[in-house]
């Protein structure tokens, strides 16, 4: 059994944030000291470089929300992992359910993006999670297992997994602690099968309606090594309220 990895609380700002939002980042940086977890903000691509600059010298790191699988080329509107790295990001979310739904991304594409992150020297945060109908049909572990099989990068190395039940994202609904624990234990087992002992120390985040009011219950479940936070990450006070569980 590997030692517990240091927790990670990452904020996924999604398509939110204008110039005034820089103030929230400043508050997060200020409030980060004393929290025994890594804090990360994943803003829209327009902010990566300026947020990296603002966070320099602090314990807060910056990540992207998606990347293209290719390092460069004729792909209008896309951002390469190498570009995120060049701008100072340390990580990139791949396979978020909103990308899987809005852009019909397949496990094979998510795998290619996770490999691109590796190639560029970024830590991929690979997202998996079932739809409501899949949970109701008792297929959660099948779905999550299939997504892991198809999406995870080849070979052990830096990697974060985020379990985000699609029906819990932005709805205020969360699975029971027992259900979260069951899925995280299953993911841990899959990581061991795939990467051997290295799989024991990879961080598995929970995401989906994490708020200051439920953070303690969710983040103290075995094999939950942090959170991927959407809506509540847009307000420094709420984000720090969640990360503050690790104080
Ligand atoms: P919410 O925290 O808004 O439910 O979003 C979760 C999420 O999708 C993070 O990636």
């Amino acid at each position: 059994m590997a030692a517990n990895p240091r927790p990670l609380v990452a904020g996924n700002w999604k398509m939110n944030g204008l110039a005034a939002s820089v103030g929230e980042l400043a508050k997060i940086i200020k409030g980060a000291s004393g929290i025994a977890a890594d804090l990360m903000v994943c803003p829209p691509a327009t902010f990566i470089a300026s947020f990296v600059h603002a966070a320099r010298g602090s314990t807060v790191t910056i990540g992207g929300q998606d990347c293209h699988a290719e390092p460069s080329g004729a792909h209008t509107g896309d951002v390469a992992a190498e570009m995120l790295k060049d701008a100072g990001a340390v990580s990139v979310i791949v396979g978020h359910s909103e990308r899987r739904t809005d852009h019909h991304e397949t496990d094979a594409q998510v795998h290619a993006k996770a490999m691109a992150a590796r190639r560029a020297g970024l830590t991929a945060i690979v997202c998996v999670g079932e739809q409501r109908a899949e949970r109701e049909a008792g297929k959660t572990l099948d779905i999550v297992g299939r997504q892991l099989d198809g999406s995870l990068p080849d070979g052990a190395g830096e990697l974060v997994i985020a379990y985000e039940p699609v029906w819990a994202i932005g709805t205020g609904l969360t699975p029971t602690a027992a259900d979260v624990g069951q899925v995280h234990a299953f993911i841990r087992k899959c990581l061991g099968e795939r990467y051997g002992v290295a799989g024991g120390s990879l961080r598995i985040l929970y995401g989906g309606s994490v708020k200051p009011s439920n953070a303690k219950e969710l983040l103290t479940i075995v094999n939950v090594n942090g959170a991927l936070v959407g809506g509540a990450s847009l307000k420094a006070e709420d984000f720090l309220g969640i990360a503050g569980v690790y104080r």
Side-chain angles (χ1 to χ4, degrees):
M1 191 70 182
N4 276 345
R6 182 174 163 88
L8 168 65
V9 180
N12 173 9
W13 282 22
K14 308 191 179 183
M15 199 174 73
N16 296 291
L18 298 171
S21 314
V22 180
E24 291 306 305
L25 177 70
K27 286 189 220 162
I28 291 170
I29 291 169
K30 207 162 160 224
S33 69
I35 295 178
D38 293 332
L39 298 195
M40 181 186 291
V41 175
C42 301
T46 48
F47 277 128
I48 299 276
S50 63
F51 275 28
V52 165
H53 182 73
R56 196 157 286 151
S58 82
T59 57
V60 177
T61 57
I62 306 301
Q65 297 178 10
D66 177 53
C67 66
H68 195 277
E70 299 294 326
S72 63
H75 302 289
T76 302
D78 280 315
V79 176
E82 280 77 359
M83 294 169 174
L84 296 172
K85 174 78 177 173
D86 190 48
V90 299
S91 195
V92 62
I93 298 168
V94 295
H96 191 281
S97 69
E98 287 149 17
R99 303 280 325 168
R100 291 178 186 263
T101 302
D102 296 356
H103 299 273
H104 311 290
E105 289 187 8
T106 62
D107 288 332
Q109 285 169 314
V110 176
H111 172 263
K113 290 178 178 210
M115 293 302 287
R118 281 262 170 94
R119 181 189 66 219
L122 298 176
T123 300
I125 301 176
V126 177
C127 301
V128 295
E130 81 286 1
Q131 309 269 352
R132 181 194 296 269
E134 293 164 342
R135 172 157 287 273
E136 285 169 356
K139 291 187 185 153
T140 298
L141 300 187
D142 287 351
I143 295 296
V144 168
R146 207 174 312 149
Q147 289 175 334
L148 291 172
D149 277 351
S151 308
L152 292 180
D154 310 331
E158 272 288 317
L159 176 67
V160 174
I161 316 300
Y163 168 55
E164 300 205 304
V166 179
W167 53 273
I169 295 177
T171 58
L173 303 172
T174 53
T176 64
D179 286 344
V180 172
Q182 183 199 29
V183 178
H184 279 240
F186 172 74
I187 294 173
R188 179 69 68 208
K189 178 174 81 73
C190 295
L191 292 174
E193 286 164 7
R194 180 118 176 183
Y195 301 122
V197 281
S201 56
L202 296 177
R203 294 185 282 198
I204 308 172
L205 312 183
Y206 169 78
S209 296
V210 181
K211 301 177 282 232
S213 58
N214 62 17
K216 185 153 192 194
E217 188 189 5
L218 291 164
L219 299 184
T220 51
I221 298 168
V222 177
N223 283 311
V224 173
N225 311 117
L228 183 55
V229 185
S233 71
L234 296 170
K235 278 209 166 132
E237 193 186 338
D238 289 347
F239 188 59
L240 292 169
I242 293 165
V245 165
Y246 296 111
R247 215 176 266 284

